[in-house]
Amino acid sequence: MIYEGNGNDILGTFNLSRECNGFGGDDALAPDSPGHPCFTHFGCPCDMNDNSPHECMPHTHMKAPQASRIPRTRPRVATRPNLSFLNPVFHERSQAEDDGVLSQQLWKLARKTGTLNLSNKGLARVPERIYDINEADADSQAANLEQLSIKEEDAWWNQVPLNNLDLSSNALTHISPKIENLQSLTVLILHDNALVTLPPEMAKLEKLVRLNLSHNKLSDLPRELYSLPELRHLNISYNEFSELDPDISDLHMLEFLDAGHNNIQIIPGGIGFLVRLTALLLPFNHIKELPPDLVSMRSLQKLDLMQNDLIYLPDDIGLLRKLQCLYIQHNDIKMLPDFEGSEELQELHASNNFIESVPKALCANLPHLKIFDLRDNKISILPDEICLLRNLHRLDVSNNSINTLPVTLSALAHLISLQVDGNPIKTIRRDILQCGTTRILKTLQERAQAKAREGGADNATAGAPGPDEALRLRGGQANEARNYPDNHRQQHYPCQCVQCRSHYQQQFQSSQQRFCNCPQCMYRQQQEASGYYRTVTNQYAQPDLAHYRTYNAYQNSSFASYQQQETDEQTDASLEVHPRWVYKLRQSRTLAVNLEELTDVPESVFQMAREENVHVVDFARNQLGTLPAGLQHLCHLVTELVLGHNLISHIPPFISQFTRITFIDLSNNLLKDLPSEIGVLNTLRELNIANNRLEFLPNGLYELQSLEVLIASDNHIKALNVSGLGAMRRLATLDLRNNDIDFVPPILGNLTNITRLELVGNPFRQPRHQILAKGTEAIMSYLRDRIPI
């Protein structure tokens, strides 16, 4: 055999057909010497394996080589390089090999549990024995009653029909029509195969609830498959569909449909008949428009249309009243609709489009929006009404054309992430922008307060909202009259005193004067000038007639009679705004008053909230010293209680009366302990007590058997009670960052129910920061390894 290599070949060029006999004579060299003609980097060809045709003659006639300075203890052995990969050999699996995958152990387990998992077994065909798994095997049929009684668990009468079959991650190219024998199947998983077609006989699996066909090569489904009466979950993503069959509307029970990562261009009009659908996922397709009857899917909660070719959204998309998450990133949308009616929407992802503006009506129609992603668009201005998104947690407007941020952003009490990078903002210094959300909002709040103290004319000149407008926006609702369904449209006066009411039309309507000369208006004017003007309901910018901060200007004999008159007028005023206030509570089921520096809340407010069946109470970012006593009126209604960013130093025992509470936020307060009564809240699932003054986790927490999330970061906690934490069987997230913990007990690693553990920012030495950076699994493993045996 002759191997001829090129100049770049690592083996060099040599002829193996020639016998190796050195140079001959006394000058001959050893075959492993550098001068030997057969010597290469791989050693002498004589050292090759026995299969080589080369035969090297004995070197007995050669002179012994000179001793080397570095004695060689083992001769260098050259091996022939393995070039088998150049001619790979493929082995086609036989039916017998595929049948052998279904071992007797798996067979018995499937007959006992009703579940068979053959995922990632390299199957080219489905084992034939599967199709008869619901039938009694030959051994059971041949055995007598006495034999079956000995192994009763293997008897045919204890068999469970196969209801869950997993054939994913194999090399299946087809499914046998015999699958119709498995009529008890409720779950069939076929994803990650090479299926091109499916047998129509699958339509006989009438109990099928879940069907996963993702990651195959399907371009259509048998029409008979759309008649499955119980199918609720269908996944056909990562296939080769060019359209959805109109017959898909016959799947009346369908609740989840994933058709992403295909080549779909058209959505059939009949898709609106899927009235039970809660999730419709169509990302990474080529859809250009949505059918008009899409809005008929009134149960839809999640709609994913990212990475398509959409130019616009339907104007009536707000009819999807239960929609919570909408993903429309990476499309060609130029304008957002008003979303009137979509009050449940919580996440709106609209990045990488061509959106030029944010509709003002959108801000008013989405009171529960938490995430608003508008990065990489063409937006040049944010409206002042952005503050109407009062539950907004994250706002991303990066990489737009915004040059000014509205000061009303500072009224968003729950905004924790504001991303403005990549905008030509000139009104705020770059160093402030780089400091992050908190610093930006503080700057905007200072400017809002400064402009509120200025005159209305100055504010108008500066392009910022005037005092009235700032007060309305700060309250979170606009003050203009609206046509509410109950037709309670009331006349709004600049003042609620008798003089203003009787002479408003003649005296003030055509002029710019905002107050009359009565003592009430003079007092209110003084309060507004000093920055003490506040609102009662936080909805309509009505003056706070019940809580004046000072009476120095009118401490005289005539003021007593005026105060009595004022109280009577307040009653009348509350009756006027009551219908609108009730309407707002009735629609949102939320009592939210933020950024109003409240030190207490009147009991009448909670009584009204109880009548309207309020479930969420939010008094974040005020100056409350404890829980308002009126909260007891809502103890059997409230499910979420938000009291973060206040001055609360103690929690009253009546907290135990909240029988339906699931979430409590007490972060950023002055708490040093929690009452033991908190331990009876057996419905509480999440508790946030971060940034307080706790030196230990209160003992009452260890009795919360339903608690899943506990955030206690930024306190002064010094030690961990692992036995107490172990009693919290459902605790999954434990955040103890930035405390004073100097020792982490290794036994903490045994709490396997904790899937997220945060310990960064504590003074302990072990585990080290490198371990903490690897995540919870690494921390728990490290701790378990150090438990004494």
Side-chain angles (χ1 to χ4, degrees):
M1 179 182 70
I2 299 177
Y3 181 89
E4 298 292 343
N6 54 35
N8 297 326
D9 200 319
I10 190 171
L11 299 178
T13 303
F14 54 91
N15 190 333
L16 295 181
S17 66
R18 185 178 61 182
E19 293 183 354
C20 175
N21 57 5
F23 290 142
D26 296 336
D27 297 330
L29 300 176
D32 60 348
S33 301
H36 193 278
C38 296
F39 181 84
T40 64
H41 175 74
F42 296 94
C44 178
C46 308
D47 296 329
M48 294 185 179
N49 55 44
D50 296 337
N51 297 328
S52 173
H54 172 76
E55 294 181 0
C56 186
M57 296 185 66
H59 297 280
T60 56
H61 62 281
M62 297 182 183
K63 182 185 295 186
Q66 299 294 328
S68 174
R69 293 185 179 180
I70 304 177
R72 198 177 250 173
T73 59
R74 183 179 180 183
R76 182 179 298 174
V77 179
T79 57
R80 188 182 300 276
N82 185 5
L83 304 178
S84 60
F85 65 90
L86 297 177
N87 295 302
V89 177
F90 295 97
H91 171 69
E92 182 178 0
R93 292 176 64 105
S94 63
Q95 182 68 55
E97 289 176 311
D98 288 335
D99 291 342
V101 172
L102 184 56
S103 63
Q104 189 66 19
Q105 182 179 4
L106 286 176
W107 173 269
K108 290 184 177 180
L109 182 63
R111 289 167 62 89
K112 185 181 298 184
T113 63
T115 300
L116 179 58
N117 187 348
L118 295 179
S119 176
N120 200 19
K121 300 294 185 181
L123 296 174
R125 303 171 186 83
V126 178
E128 288 291 331
R129 196 179 181 189
I130 289 180
Y131 302 123
D132 300 325
I133 196 171
N134 290 335
E135 303 295 332
D137 56 5
D139 295 338
S140 297
Q141 293 176 351
N144 56 38
L145 183 59
E146 181 179 357
Q147 292 173 333
L148 290 176
S149 300
I150 297 176
K151 293 184 178 181
E152 188 176 356
E153 66 275 8
D154 296 333
W156 57 267
W157 56 76
N158 287 326
Q159 175 185 346
V160 177
L162 187 66
N163 54 62
N164 191 324
L165 178 59
D166 188 350
L167 296 170
S168 62
S169 301
N170 285 291
L172 302 176
T173 58
H174 70 282
I175 300 295
S176 172
K178 294 181 181 179
I179 198 172
E180 66 180 354
N181 296 338
L182 305 177
Q183 295 189 9
S184 59
L185 276 182
T186 59
V187 177
L188 178 58
I189 302 178
L190 295 170
H191 77 80
D192 195 13
N193 280 283
L195 297 173
V196 178
T197 59
L198 295 175
E201 287 77 6
M202 285 182 62
K204 296 184 179 181
L205 306 179
E206 296 184 352
K207 296 182 179 180
L208 199 62
V209 174
R210 184 184 184 94
L211 178 60
N212 191 338
L213 300 170
S214 63
H215 293 271
N216 280 283
K217 299 180 180 180
L218 300 170
S219 58
D220 58 7
L221 297 178
R223 184 156 297 182
E224 294 82 358
L225 210 61
Y226 297 115
S227 62
L228 290 172
E230 297 295 330
L231 191 64
R232 288 173 168 81
H233 188 289
L234 176 61
N235 190 341
I236 57 173
S237 61
Y238 292 93
N239 277 282
E240 299 176 1
F241 288 88
S242 59
E243 63 177 358
L244 290 179
D245 196 307
D247 290 334
I248 198 172
S249 59
D250 293 336
L251 297 173
H252 300 299
M253 301 299 294
L254 198 63
E255 297 176 357
F256 177 93
L257 174 60
D258 187 353
H261 296 266
N262 282 281
N263 298 314
I264 299 174
Q265 300 181 9
I266 300 175
I267 301 178
I271 199 170
F273 289 104
L274 301 177
V275 293
R276 289 183 173 87
L277 203 67
T278 60
L280 176 59
L281 311 182
L282 295 166
F284 292 89
N285 282 287
H286 300 286
I287 302 171
K288 295 184 179 180
E289 61 179 353
L290 301 177
D293 66 338
L294 180 73
V295 298
S296 299
M297 295 187 290
R298 300 302 174 86
S299 299
L300 198 63
Q301 298 178 10
K302 182 177 181 180
L303 178 59
D304 190 347
L305 296 166
M306 67 179 296
Q307 289 281 359
N308 277 281
D309 300 327
L310 292 172
I311 301 177
Y312 65 93
L313 293 177
D315 293 335
D316 55 352
I317 196 172
L319 295 177
L320 300 175
R321 302 190 185 280
K322 294 186 179 181
L323 190 64
Q324 296 180 5
C325 301
L326 176 61
Y327 302 88
I328 52 174
Q329 309 99 302
H330 295 274
N331 280 279
D332 300 325
I333 298 174
K334 295 183 179 180
M335 183 173 60
L336 291 174
D338 294 342
F339 289 98
E340 184 176 1
S342 295
E343 294 187 357
E344 297 298 323
L345 192 64
Q346 297 182 9
E347 298 184 20
L348 177 53
H349 301 266
S351 62
N352 294 91
N353 281 281
F354 298 96
I355 300 172
E356 298 178 351
S357 62
V358 179
K360 297 180 180 180
L362 178 147
C363 302
N365 292 330
L366 301 179
H368 294 96
L369 192 67
K370 295 181 178 179
I371 299 177
F372 200 7
D373 186 359
L374 291 168
R375 68 182 185 274
D376 293 288
N377 277 285
K378 304 293 183 181
I379 300 173
S380 58
I381 187 172
L382 289 176
D384 291 330
E385 286 76 8
I386 195 75
C387 66
L388 299 181
L389 303 173
R390 57 186 309 127
N391 285 304
L392 199 64
H393 285 64
R394 173 189 165 197
L395 176 61
D396 191 344
V397 291
S398 304
N399 302 326
N400 279 276
S401 303
I402 300 172
N403 52 26
T404 302
L405 294 178
V407 295
T408 54
L409 278 174
S410 61
L412 296 175
H414 302 288
L415 188 63
I416 59 177
S417 177
L418 175 62
Q419 303 296 326
V420 296
D421 297 336
N423 284 282
I425 298 176
K426 304 296 183 182
T427 56
I428 300 179
R429 298 197 314 267
R430 182 175 297 273
D431 60 316
I432 295 178
L433 296 175
Q434 293 176 346
C435 287
T437 303
T438 303
R439 186 68 179 90
I440 296 174
L441 295 180
K442 183 179 179 180
T443 301
L444 295 176
Q445 185 177 8
E446 292 173 351
R447 294 184 180 182
Q449 293 174 352
K451 291 182 179 180
R453 288 193 293 266
E454 296 176 358
D458 293 338
N459 286 329
T461 304
D468 288 344
E469 185 178 359
L471 287 171
R472 291 196 299 269
L473 295 178
R474 183 179 57 201
Q477 299 288 341
N479 192 30
E480 59 269 12
R482 299 183 181 180
N483 293 322
Y484 292 96
D486 49 9
N487 293 323
H488 290 289
R489 185 173 182 175
Q490 304 294 338
Q491 180 66 50
H492 176 67
Y493 302 101
C495 170
Q496 294 296 331
C497 68
V498 177
Q499 183 175 353
C500 286
R501 294 188 200 182
S502 59
H503 300 288
Y504 173 72
Q505 294 293 335
Q506 298 92 356
Q507 187 173 357
F508 303 119
Q509 189 174 19
S510 61
S511 67
Q512 299 298 323
Q513 184 178 358
R514 301 178 59 251
F515 299 104
C516 64
N517 294 325
C518 68
Q520 182 179 358
C521 287
M522 294 176 64
Y523 175 78
R524 193 174 290 115
Q525 187 173 9
Q526 180 190 17
Q527 292 297 310
E528 180 176 312
S530 60
Y532 290 140
Y533 194 88
R534 290 295 181 268
T535 62
V536 177
T537 63
N538 198 38
Q539 300 285 333
Y540 324 108
Q542 295 292 348
D544 186 352
L545 304 180
H547 299 89
Y548 287 144
R549 298 202 172 205
T550 178
Y551 295 94
N552 295 333
Y554 298 98
Q555 294 291 340
N556 52 47
S557 59
S558 62
F559 187 73
S561 59
Y562 160 71
Q563 188 177 15
Q564 181 63 38
Q565 177 187 1
E566 183 182 54
T567 303
D568 297 337
E569 292 170 357
Q570 176 191 350
T571 303
D572 295 338
S574 64
L575 291 175
E576 283 190 345
V577 301
H578 179 76
R580 298 175 64 186
W581 169 250
V582 170
Y583 175 80
K584 287 297 180 182
L585 289 180
R586 184 183 301 125
Q587 293 299 311
S588 64
R589 296 291 190 270
T590 300
L591 175 60
V593 184
N594 311 119
L595 291 165
E596 290 298 325
E597 300 184 11
L598 297 177
T599 58
D600 195 9
V601 182
E603 188 174 357
S604 58
V605 174
F606 296 105
Q607 293 175 346
M608 186 186 302
R610 180 184 60 184
E611 295 174 358
E612 299 306 323
N613 201 25
V614 164
H615 298 312
V616 179
V617 175
D618 181 359
F619 286 105
R621 297 183 183 272
N622 284 287
Q623 296 184 8
L624 298 175
T626 185
L627 273 63
L631 268 175
Q632 298 180 71
H633 294 288
L634 303 175
C635 61
H636 299 300
L637 296 175
V638 171
T639 59
E640 297 184 16
L641 181 59
V642 182
L643 294 168
H645 294 272
N646 277 281
L647 303 176
I648 299 174
S649 58
H650 71 282
I651 302 296
F654 71 75
I655 188 70
S656 61
Q657 301 176 14
F658 288 81
T659 56
R660 298 181 57 191
I661 196 77
T662 60
F663 171 74
I664 297 179
D665 182 1
L666 295 170
S667 61
N668 296 276
N669 280 285
L670 306 176
L671 294 171
K672 294 183 178 180
D673 197 2
L674 293 177
S676 59
E677 287 80 2
I678 199 171
V680 304
L681 301 179
N682 53 15
T683 60
L684 187 62
R685 299 177 59 187
E686 182 174 350
L687 175 63
N688 188 344
I689 51 176
N691 204 352
N692 279 278
R693 299 180 179 181
L694 300 170
E695 296 184 358
F696 56 89
L697 288 178
N699 293 329
L701 298 184
Y702 303 131
E703 301 177 12
L704 297 173
Q705 297 300 315
S706 299
L707 194 67
E708 300 174 3
V709 179
L710 175 58
I711 302 177
S713 59
D714 298 281
N715 280 282
H716 302 287
I717 299 173
K718 298 179 180 179
L720 295 179
N721 183 351
V722 179
S723 60
L725 293 172
M728 306 166 70
R729 300 297 183 183
R730 296 189 180 182
L731 187 63
T733 298
L734 178 60
D735 190 346
L736 295 170
R737 292 174 296 173
N738 303 324
N739 277 282
D740 297 332
I741 302 172
D742 56 4
F743 175 71
V744 181
I747 196 174
L748 182 65
N750 285 336
L751 303 184
T752 56
N753 53 298
I754 297 180
T755 58
R756 180 189 172 193
L757 177 63
E758 300 288 350
L759 294 173
V760 176
N762 284 279
F764 54 77
R765 294 180 177 271
Q766 299 292 340
R768 295 172 298 174
H769 179 75
Q770 291 83 348
I771 301 296
L772 299 179
K774 293 181 180 180
T776 302
E777 186 176 353
I779 298 173
M780 303 298 273
S781 177
Y782 175 89
L783 294 174
R784 284 193 295 269
D785 291 342
R786 279 151 182 79
I787 298 177
I789 299 177

